[in-house]
Amino acid sequence: KGASSLQIVNNVFHRTYRTAVWITKESVPYSISVRANLALETLRHPRESTAWVRHFASFLLEVPPLYLSGNVAAGSTDTGFVLRPVLEDCNAGGTSASALEEEELNEAVGCLTGFFLLRACKDLCNSCAVLHGAAAWKSSHAGVITADQSANIRMHAVMLSDNHIGVSLGFHRSAGDLLHRVIGRNITVFGSTDASTCSASIDCRALGQTDKVGETCNSVIGSAFRRVGILAHMVNGMP
């Protein structure tokens, strides 16, 4: 069974297998707070199959949270944060969210992927899936990524640095959809900084068709570019 009215606050998780915090899909949406937690080294289980891709994360939230702030995922061998995003009405001119202090940001550092946004609506919808207050740096694949996303996307107060790809967005929308939107506000994207000093920092690592672990560079960019800030979003049309 899932959880409700749960608070996970001020914890340290070290060298956990697959996840440090997992909020299952049976949990009550908008009822769980995850604040000021540190997850160090989230590892692939030694007996995890390599026959297919099964994503894992330091923080795996399969329902939208009530609060998610001030958490750090460092050194995940897959993803820092896998999130079912909060849905809000789209508003290109602003956001209802208040300004954040630095310690309120959710931060992913040294992960394969920083933030992965799950499909926000079961069917197509015109609401905005929101990513607010996120920092991702030194991701060997992407800082922020979504695939087969059914909603619009709004990103606010996002900082990305030293990632192979800063933002990569993929959508599953109706063919001929002219109302689909990606909205960004207060987003900072850096390429290579002084944080990328070791020789390994020049190499991408991403999951591929024959590489289910991400031991080599299998991204769509490959070795053609060391860094790409924003990968123009792709829409896979549906009838």
Side-chain angles (χ1 to χ4, degrees), residues 83-107:
L83 306 174
R84 186 78 62 188
V86 171
L87 277 173
E88 295 181 359
D89 289 337
C90 291
N91 183 349
T95 176
S96 59
S98 58
L100 296 175
E101 298 295 331
E102 183 178 353
E103 62 270 17
E104 294 179 290
L105 296 176
N106 294 296
E107 180 179 351

Side-chain angles (χ1 to χ4, degrees), residues 4 9 21 29 31 43 71 100 102 118 136 145 151 153 156 169 173 175 177 195 220 226 229:
S4 65
V9 182
V21 175
S31 72
L43 305 174
N71 303 287
L100 296 175
E102 183 178 353
L118 297 169
I145 192 168
I153 291 284
H156 178 231
L169 306 177
R173 303 283 295 190
D177 180 5
V220 294
R226 181 178 179 183

Side-chain angles (χ1 to χ4, degrees), residues 52-79:
W52 57 81
V53 173
R54 190 165 71 114
H55 287 292
F56 61 91
S58 301
F59 297 89
L60 174 55
L61 279 64
E62 295 187 83
V63 297
L66 179 63
Y67 295 109
L68 178 70
S69 66
N71 303 287
V72 177
S76 172
T77 52
D78 198 297
T79 308

Side-chain angles (χ1 to χ4, degrees), residues 85 117-121 129 146-151 153 170-173:
L117 304 183
L118 297 169
R119 191 177 176 98
C121 306
T146 190
D148 291 335
Q149 183 58 251
S150 55
I153 291 284
F171 294 89
H172 191 209
R173 303 283 295 190

